[in-house]
């Protein structure tokens, strides 16, 4: 697991999962285009079957397993969306799935995974704590680990989103990608730059506990404190023994931008009020980056709305303009 993911791997993944996922639309945002002075397109990946992009990678990884591996079942640590996607993909194949999560994962995401029949384990206060339980289950019960980002088939599956973007907006000057462990960012960047070397790919994350940004700054994978944030799906570490996504993000991303909680909230509000879309914090970071002025469009720009799995009581508070910084205090 030391090689980079090539465009050919992503194209193979697209063939594998074509009948297992939705090809999501990309639409022009008139409000953001007017503001940016260039066309701004929204990739509506939050319309994906499980409400987030993670189904692409999970479906591809399960499709690549041998019959013997499938019989053993799968396990993963997750901040919510990967767990839901893996539970969905495993259920379609009649497989056992165990999802390990920390106490920071919102209850609405836990409920969605439970409804898919997965075995849930709540362990500790960070994704690193949850990963320790994954390692124990792999050793004790022989389950196959399919991690949320640092796996070739996961990255290739997420990269199919990048292929769709370049087909839908072939003149894209830049693509803004939510950045956490780097599976989505690495896959999308590999696809986008495999098609168009001139297109910029920017990773967008939150100020509170952005592990990939801290690691890139340090020149090696480092641990960060995992903190509550509106962009909860972007939480967690990248793994000190990271094999793929750190190197790929370092070589493929043109920049990484961090947002405050208020800037993330502004993205959620804009999506609802102007675009009539409900997105979670991680899915709103591209909008937040444009609204804050931290990213300035220099040509046709694509924002990935990566997920919609937000607690609706929290969403109501945000769109009503209530103070949200206490949520992440």
């Amino acid at each position: 697991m030391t090689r980079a993911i090539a465009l050919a791997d992503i194209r193979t993944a697209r063939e594998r999962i074509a009948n297992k996922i939705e090809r999501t639309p990309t639409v022009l945002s008139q409000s953001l285009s007017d503001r940016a002075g260039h066309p701004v397109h929204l990739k509506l990946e939050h319309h994906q079957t499980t409400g987030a992009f993670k189904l692409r990678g999970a479906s591809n990884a399960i499709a690549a397993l041998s019959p013997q591996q499938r019989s053993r079942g799968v396990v993963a640590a997750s901040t919510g969306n990967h767990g839901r996607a893996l539970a969905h993909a495993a259920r379609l194949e009649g497989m056992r799935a165990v999802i390990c999560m920390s106490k920071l994962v919102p209850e609405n995401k836990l409920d969605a995974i439970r409804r898919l029949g997965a075995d849930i384990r709540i362990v500790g206060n960070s994704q690193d704590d949850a990963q320790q339980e994954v390692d124990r289950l792999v050793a004790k019960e022989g389950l196959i680990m399919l991690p949320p980002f640092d796996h070739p088939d996961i990255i290739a599956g997420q990269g199919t989103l990048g292929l769709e973007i370049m087909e839908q907006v072939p003149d894209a000057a830049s693509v803004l990608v939510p950045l956490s462990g780097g599976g989505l960012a690495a896959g999308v960047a590999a696809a986008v730059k495999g098609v168009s070397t001139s297109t910029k790919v920017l990773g967008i994350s939150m100020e509170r506990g952005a592990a990939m940004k801290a690691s890139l700054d340090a020149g090696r994978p480092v641990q960060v404190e995992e903190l509550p944030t509106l962009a909860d799906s972007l939480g967690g570490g990248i793994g000190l023994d990271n094999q793929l996504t750190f190197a790929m993000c370092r070589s493929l991303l043109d920049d990484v931008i961090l947002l405050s909680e208020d800037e993330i909230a502004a993205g959620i509000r804009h999506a609802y009020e102007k675009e009539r879309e409900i997105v979670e914090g991680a899915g709103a970071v591209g909008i937040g980056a444009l609204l804050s002025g931290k990213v300035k469009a220099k040509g046709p720009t694509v924002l990935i709305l990566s997920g919609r799995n937000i607690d609706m009581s929290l969403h109501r508070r945000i769109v009503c303009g209530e103070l949200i910084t206490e949520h992440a205090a």
Side-chain angles (χ1 to χ4, degrees):
M1 271 178 46
T2 57
R3 65 180 178 85
I5 304 307
L7 189 59
D9 300 310
I10 298 170
R11 286 176 170 152
T12 296
R14 178 158 70 171
E15 293 175 4
R16 278 192 188 132
I17 66 176
N19 64 347
K20 301 178 186 298
I21 66 158
E22 296 292 329
R23 178 183 169 92
T24 54
T26 296
V27 300
L28 181 72
S29 166
Q30 195 60 57
S31 63
L32 291 173
S33 299
D34 291 344
R35 187 184 187 100
H38 293 279
V40 176
H41 303 267
L42 307 178
K43 176 63 168 168
L44 306 184
E45 187 62 15
H46 63 304
H47 291 185
Q48 192 55 256
T49 303
T50 55
F53 73 93
K54 292 284 191 177
L55 187 60
R56 295 173 182 265
S59 297
N60 188 49
I62 283 183
L65 295 177
S66 68
Q68 190 276 335
Q69 289 174 316
R70 293 187 187 196
S71 69
R72 291 160 60 184
V74 293
V75 62
S78 175
T79 53
N81 285 336
H82 175 64
R84 183 173 180 175
L86 194 62
H88 177 88
R91 186 180 188 181
L92 290 179
E93 302 296 332
M95 295 169 52
R96 180 189 179 198
V98 182
I99 311 301
C100 302
M101 293 173 284
S102 81
K103 297 173 184 176
L104 295 180
V105 176
E107 189 65 32
N108 66 298
K109 294 187 176 182
L110 298 179
D111 289 342
I113 296 169
R114 286 192 189 98
R115 288 195 295 270
L116 290 168
D119 180 2
I120 291 178
R121 310 286 174 90
I122 306 299
V123 183
N125 295 304
S126 72
Q127 195 166 13
D128 290 334
D129 292 339
Q131 183 60 45
Q132 291 180 10
E133 177 67 5
V134 170
D135 296 339
R136 188 188 71 80
L137 289 168
V138 169
K140 182 179 179 182
E141 300 185 23
L143 293 167
I144 300 296
M145 180 175 68
L146 292 179
F149 52 86
D150 198 33
H151 187 287
D153 295 322
I154 297 290
I155 297 169
Q158 319 303 26
T160 62
L161 197 158
L163 290 181
E164 291 179 17
I165 287 173
M166 295 313 294
E167 291 165 354
Q168 293 164 334
V169 190
D171 62 343
S174 60
V175 178
L176 276 57
V177 189
L179 175 63
S180 179
L184 177 63
V188 167
V192 167
K193 291 183 178 291
V195 174
S196 170
T197 57
S198 64
T199 302
K200 304 293 186 184
V201 181
L202 309 179
I204 316 295
S205 198
M206 68 290 184
E207 292 176 350
R208 295 177 61 83
M212 183 61 80
K213 171 63 171 169
S215 298
L216 293 171
D217 288 347
R220 59 182 173 80
V222 297
Q223 286 183 311
V224 299
E225 182 182 2
E226 192 168 339
L227 299 168
T229 171
L230 291 174
D232 56 271
S233 294
L234 302 185
I238 71 167
L240 295 181
D241 61 345
N242 187 287
Q243 298 293 303
L244 291 169
T245 60
F246 172 74
M248 290 182 70
C249 286
R250 181 173 56 186
S251 64
L252 294 173
L253 293 182
D254 294 284
D255 201 359
V256 174
I257 309 299
L258 302 184
L259 303 186
S260 70
E261 296 299 298
D262 288 323
E263 289 164 346
I264 296 167
I268 294 172
R269 279 195 297 272
H270 177 94
Y272 183 73
E273 294 172 355
K274 303 297 184 181
E275 315 297 342
R276 296 296 186 259
E277 300 288 347
I278 294 174
V279 295
E280 59 187 279
V285 294
I287 297 175
L290 276 187
L291 293 177
S292 68
K294 289 182 174 178
V295 172
K296 298 186 184 301
K298 297 179 180 179
T301 301
V302 181
L303 316 181
I304 298 175
L305 308 192
S306 56
R308 67 170 183 240
N309 299 321
I310 187 171
D311 179 88
M312 289 309 297
S313 63
L314 174 61
H315 188 270
R316 282 191 292 272
R317 288 179 58 206
I318 293 169
V319 298
C320 289
E322 294 182 24
L323 182 67
I324 51 80
T325 47
E326 77 229 21
H327 174 77

